[in-house]
Amino acid sequence: MPMLTINNLHSAYQGQVVLQGVDLSLAEGDILALLGPSGCGKTTLLRAIAGLQPTSHGQISIANTLCNDDGVLVPSEQRHVGMIFQDYALFPHLTVAQNILFGVSEKNPDLRAQRLQEMLALVRLQGLAERFPHQLSGGQQQRVSIARALAYRPQLLLLDEPFSNIDAQVRGQLICEIRQILKQLNISAIFVTHSKDEAFAFADQLALFKAGKIVQCGRPETLYELPNDRYVAEFLGSVNYLPASIYDNYQVDTPIGRLSSRTALNKPISYAGELLLRPQQFELLGDDNSDAVISERRFLGNHCHYVVDILQYRLQVHSEQTQWQLGQRVKLQMKAHSLVVF
Amino acid sequence: MEQSHNLFQAAQLMGSSAWQSFFRLALPMARPALAVGVALVAMETVADFATVDYFAVPTLTTAVYDTWLGYGSLSAAAKLSVLILLVVFTMVGVERFARRKQALYQQGVQDAGQFKYQLKGWRKWAVFSYCTMLLATGFLIPFLILVNYSYHYFEQSWHDEFWQLSINSLMVATIVSITCVLLALLLMFVKRVSPYRQDLLPSRLVSTGYALPGTVLAIGVLAPLTYIDFAINDIYQWLGMKGPGLLFTGSLAALVIAFTVRFAAIAIGSIENRYKTMSPSYDMAAMTMAQKPWQLFYRIHLPLLRKAMFVGALLVFIESMKELPAALLLKPIGFENLATYVFQYVSDEQLEQGALAAIVIVLVGLFPLIYLNKSIEQNYADVNH
């Protein structure tokens, strides 16, 4: 059963069309990342799902209840969605305990105390219940806001850039921790970010946004390996393009030779276009007779970033072999992978 | 006006002396702020009543006062008031325009910390004496004269009536500050939660009240209230009953209404500033946790606004204690407060006997100001720590 279904959603904000025909579906227990550059409409979509942003056209259903449609608008307070904000939105005049219990409608004091303890244990903040938000670190504040949203027992959790204010050193760990909590409770979540690394680390599904539309949605691996278009390919990682024409279902001719794909190609035979090659899909072999030569080299710790000139093309190559120096002639080899031609 | 000290450090590194930094940097950057200051002073001067009246300088404000209280002509007073309004609105326009520029000039002020030149020798003493002179002539000397008068004339000034005057002043100021804060809360909450642009209008409108000179405002309040009073009495008469008399113009209601119109802007400003520092995500968080608007107000906004409400009320209170022209024009017959009492003695060239009341007004305003300055510094420290 899908937890969330969105059909052809449109929204305008102060006269500007922000969402123009968004379709999306989220299975129960899944975590979906809305990824895109700032100003592309991803936060607007999140707010529309929460009922905080008016929509002009299209439907949103949460757990099979129609929430937005022409003439239908279920107010935020009846949607049972939890929301985590970029600035955490912890109420500064309330303690951690009061914040966590803010949305809990349970009246029985024992049950309330029990819920509080559960939540504190879940986010590992036992002993901090009587602190005020300003006495906590950024990561702790974020965990309180997660606990507060979960204590309310939402059907769907929405996270708006939740990790952007967290120090880079602890961000990775916090992402893992929160992902674990959501998986443990089988909570469906939608998460907005402009960082592909956060999206890869946190989400089961990825929806890439461009100017108010979703350009591709699916598993992160699929989007990375088989992007629909150049925008998706370039957003998710570095790229090289080489002119290419399709030879048969699995092979493609390029200036650096005939290359084979692990899966069937996405274009018909004799189609001429450009082949996508990621920098880490090359292998470099020393070869003094080769016409490829290393023209730039940057050492990056666990790998080296090379620029290789071949014919009139410049290719970016990431290699764990750090021994090649400027001017070294190398032979380019492809690692086996699925090829994509645009 | 806050100026980034990085700019001054940059200038100093490029070999600019203190004087050069002042003329080439500080002064040009302060131009919009100076324009704002000039416009505000001009507005206050046009609106001033007591000073010009004492020195018998005939101005528009004294003319309004005389026309109404002397000749009893409300319509002529209203016409004169419109003239003052014209001047005031021009000044407000200048002020707004300068402020817009100021925003431009202040773009990119991240760290408005202080940049200090350490003065030495005669320069140090020259600056010190100039600043001391301002404080002395503007406040210390007049205040000491007042203290001296009230000491010598204490017997004549300290009587039962004095208590009544103080209580009258305190009562009006208290009612007005509570009314202003409640009004400001209502308007600002609507502004905060309403998605409609037209809901901003009432608070904008109310905020313009502060620009109105007391004299003009009094006439503006008087005209409709007189009409309502007459209408009420006419209805009673039509029903064959005896009318209730002057319900509004004959009671404190007119005074409270006029003061509220004039000072609501202060309470609004205080509460609006606090609202601006409150993240909109508080509201969204509360709403997604099934809170209705009134719960949002009661559980989140009200506790966070508490200090701003108090500060707003305090500022309105001080202003209400001091306000003279509106009080003179609108007070019910037989009602006096500290301000009108002082004015009466001053007009009769018996300044000495009004001195005690004047001191009470100054002190009532001074102590809260000290508290406010402290709390502003405290806030500044909180934000910057």
Side-chain angles (χ1 to χ4, degrees):
Chain A
M1 181 191 84
M3 178 47 71
L4 174 77
T5 320
I6 295 176
N7 277 322
N8 194 25
L9 193 72
H10 287 74
S11 175
Y13 182 64
Q14 291 181 349
Q16 267 189 313
V17 181
V18 189
L19 299 178
Q20 26 198 352
V22 172
D23 296 292
L24 196 65
S25 169
L26 178 72
E28 190 174 354
D30 259 8
I31 300 175
L32 172 96
L34 293 176
L35 181 64
S38 45
C40 69
K42 53 197 193 311
T43 297
T44 307
L45 177 61
L46 203 70
R47 290 187 181 173
I49 296 169
L52 298 167
Q53 164 85 29
T55 58
S56 41
H57 183 60
Q59 294 93 38
I60 301 176
S61 305
I62 300 171
N64 286 333
T65 309
L66 189 61
C67 290
N68 283 66
D69 199 353
D70 297 336
V72 178
L73 180 65
V74 176
S76 293
E77 59 259 34
Q78 288 166 27
R79 293 194 181 206
H80 301 286
V81 297
M83 193 153 174
I84 309 286
F85 298 87
Q86 195 172 359
D87 62 0
Y88 322 130
L90 295 179
F91 304 129
H93 61 299
L94 301 179
T95 60
V96 167
Q98 288 166 331
N99 262 293
I100 291 177
L101 292 174
F102 184 86
V104 177
S105 52
E106 177 61 59
K107 291 275 180 287
N108 182 323
D110 292 340
L111 291 177
R112 281 177 79 86
Q114 192 190 332
R115 180 89 64 95
L116 175 65
Q117 289 314 320
E118 273 170 31
M119 287 302 141
L120 286 171
L122 190 68
V123 297
R124 298 194 293 114
L125 286 175
Q126 295 102 322
L128 298 183
E130 296 313 314
R131 295 268 184 97
F132 282 93
H134 68 268
Q135 298 168 310
L136 304 176
S137 71
Q140 287 172 328
Q141 290 185 24
Q142 186 58 291
R143 283 189 273 160
V144 174
S145 81
I146 301 272
R148 183 175 72 178
L150 294 179
Y152 170 65
R153 296 200 170 146
Q155 310 179 26
L156 176 64
L157 189 65
L158 306 173
L159 304 98
D160 186 6
E161 302 258 5
F163 306 114
S164 58
N165 287 335
I166 307 275
D167 288 344
Q169 293 102 316
V170 290
R171 192 183 298 154
Q173 200 204 334
L174 190 72
I175 289 175
C176 287
E177 215 174 281
I178 291 175
R179 185 179 155 82
Q180 241 167 21
I181 292 171
L182 298 186
K183 286 290 160 194
Q184 189 185 332
L185 301 178
N186 197 33
I187 300 240
S188 322
I190 297 184
F191 145 75
V192 160
T193 182
H194 59 261
S195 149
K196 61 180 187 333
D197 301 319
E198 286 179 16
F200 285 142
F202 195 68
D204 304 313
Q205 297 282 323
L206 210 64
L208 190 61
F209 247 81
K210 182 189 183 182
K213 277 185 179 158
I214 291 174
V215 278
Q216 193 174 358
C217 183
R219 291 172 59 243
E221 294 89 334
T222 312
L223 265 70
Y224 186 79
E225 287 163 10
L226 300 170
N228 277 347
D229 64 11
R230 288 166 200 253
Y231 175 77
V232 178
E234 286 163 20
F235 200 94
L236 296 179
S238 312
V239 290
N240 295 297
Y241 295 113
L242 281 177
S245 62
I246 310 278
Y247 176 74
D248 63 20
N249 278 340
Y250 285 86
Q251 293 187 89
V252 55
D253 284 326
T254 75
I256 58 168
R258 184 168 292 171
L259 305 174
S260 327
S261 174
R262 219 166 42 181
T263 54
L265 289 164
N266 60 334
K267 290 285 194 285
I269 290 169
S270 80
Y271 174 91
E274 280 193 299
L275 175 70
L276 164 73
L277 291 167
R278 300 237 181 239
Q280 68 278 18
Q281 291 170 338
F282 294 101
E283 250 170 330
L284 299 179
L285 297 169
D287 180 354
D288 291 336
N289 300 320
S290 168
D291 46 6
V293 63
I294 291 184
S295 65
E296 280 178 35
R297 173 185 186 272
R298 260 184 293 150
F299 176 67
L300 295 170
N302 54 357
H303 71 278
C304 233
H305 178 101
Y306 297 105
V307 174
V308 177
D309 288 348
I310 178 165
L311 306 173
Q312 71 267 47
Y313 308 104
R314 314 201 86 192
L315 299 175
Q316 326 243 3
V317 177
H318 290 174
S319 170
E320 283 156 21
Q321 295 171 298
T322 57
Q323 73 269 34
W324 310 121
Q325 297 300 323
L326 289 182
Q328 169 77 45
R329 293 194 171 272
V330 288
K331 201 172 139 190
L332 283 168
Q333 278 198 330
M334 296 303 308
K335 295 178 187 167
H337 67 278
S338 303
L339 297 179
V340 178
V341 176
F342 297 131
Chain B
M1 172 183 183
E2 292 178 336
Q3 297 182 337
S4 167
H5 72 271
N6 288 340
L7 295 176
F8 291 95
Q9 280 165 349
Q12 206 175 25
L13 287 173
M14 288 183 280
S16 155
S17 72
W19 281 113
Q20 283 171 328
S21 288
F22 176 74
F23 283 111
R24 296 178 61 189
L25 213 56
L27 201 59
M29 282 199 303
R31 235 165 18 201
L34 293 176
V36 169
V38 168
L40 287 177
V41 170
M43 244 162 75
E44 290 288 340
T45 312
V46 168
D48 181 70
F49 170 75
T51 317
V52 287
D53 186 74
Y54 179 68
F55 291 108
V57 182
T59 64
L60 284 172
T61 41
T62 56
V64 171
Y65 180 77
D66 291 338
T67 314
W68 169 232
L69 288 188
Y71 302 102
S73 169
L74 192 56
S75 65
K79 281 171 196 156
L80 286 169
S81 301
V82 173
L83 275 182
I84 302 182
L85 267 189
L86 203 65
V87 180
V88 166
F89 282 143
T90 314
M91 290 303 150
V92 170
V94 170
E95 195 252 15
R96 286 275 152 87
F97 181 74
R99 250 185 227 284
R100 249 195 22 225
K101 277 251 177 103
Q102 190 176 2
L104 254 165
Y105 274 64
Q106 285 198 349
Q107 260 172 14
V109 177
Q110 285 139 7
D111 184 6
Q114 275 143 0
F115 181 74
K116 285 178 184 159
Y117 284 105
Q118 193 79 44
L119 295 176
K120 291 190 183 74
W122 67 271
R123 292 164 201 268
K124 181 168 81 177
W125 290 107
V127 170
F128 178 76
S129 358
Y130 175 70
C131 293
T132 314
M133 185 199 72
L134 286 185
L135 183 67
T137 52
F139 178 72
L140 280 179
I141 295 173
F143 186 71
L144 288 177
I145 293 173
L146 284 179
V147 170
N148 183 35
Y149 284 160
S150 38
Y151 176 74
H152 287 294
Y153 290 83
F154 190 75
E155 296 294 309
Q156 287 104 304
S157 315
W158 187 255
H159 39 65
D160 288 349
E161 203 196 344
F162 190 80
W163 274 115
Q164 189 54 49
L165 293 169
S166 310
I167 289 168
N168 283 349
S169 272
L170 291 176
M171 183 177 70
V172 171
T174 309
I175 297 173
V176 171
S177 38
I178 292 172
T179 321
C180 284
V181 167
L182 291 180
L183 186 69
L185 276 179
L186 178 72
L187 289 171
M188 287 299 106
F189 181 68
V190 169
K191 184 183 166 192
R192 169 96 171 179
V193 295
S194 167
Y196 304 110
R197 281 186 154 208
Q198 63 265 33
D199 285 348
L200 301 181
L201 213 62
S203 58
R204 290 258 171 84
L205 210 63
V206 173
S207 295
T208 56
Y210 194 58
L212 298 180
T215 329
V216 175
L217 183 66
I219 299 297
V221 167
L222 208 51
L225 288 186
T226 312
Y227 181 80
I228 294 172
D229 270 344
F230 280 124
I232 291 172
N233 283 294
D234 285 347
I235 292 168
Y236 269 88
Q237 228 165 27
W238 183 72
L239 292 171
M241 290 187 285
K242 192 179 168 337
L246 299 177
L247 262 186
F248 290 102
T249 49
S251 72
L252 277 181
L255 206 61
V256 169
I257 291 172
F259 279 27
T260 305
V261 173
R262 182 141 156 76
F263 301 131
I266 302 175
I268 286 178
S270 176
I271 287 171
E272 189 173 30
N273 279 336
R274 180 66 183 102
Y275 259 133
K276 272 187 198 152
T277 63
M278 256 189 242
S279 165
S281 53
Y282 292 169
D283 298 21
M284 293 193 265
M287 274 156 79
T288 54
M289 285 187 281
Q291 302 297 305
K292 296 190 176 59
W294 69 266
Q295 287 171 309
L296 169 68
F297 178 74
Y298 187 74
R299 297 183 68 185
I300 306 297
H301 292 177
L302 208 54
L304 293 175
L305 287 172
R306 216 175 278 156
K307 194 167 179 189
M309 284 162 59
F310 180 65
V311 168
L314 209 54
L315 289 173
V316 173
F317 186 88
I318 299 171
E319 291 289 337
S320 308
M321 292 287 293
K322 292 194 302 197
E323 172 64 32
L324 177 68
L328 279 177
L329 288 168
L330 293 175
K331 65 182 170 120
I333 293 159
F335 178 92
E336 297 286 341
N337 67 11
L338 290 173
T340 60
Y341 174 83
V342 173
F343 175 74
Q344 189 192 318
Y345 276 98
V346 172
S347 316
D348 297 346
E349 297 292 342
Q350 290 176 302
L351 182 58
E352 298 82 357
Q353 299 201 24
L356 188 63
I359 283 181
V360 172
I361 296 178
V362 171
L363 290 183
V364 165
L366 200 60
F367 286 120
L369 267 186
I370 293 170
Y371 163 81
L372 284 180
N373 273 336
K374 272 209 174 137
S375 85
I376 287 167
E377 274 164 27
Q378 178 68 39
N379 276 349
Y380 195 72
D382 282 351
V383 171
N384 286 290
H385 81 153

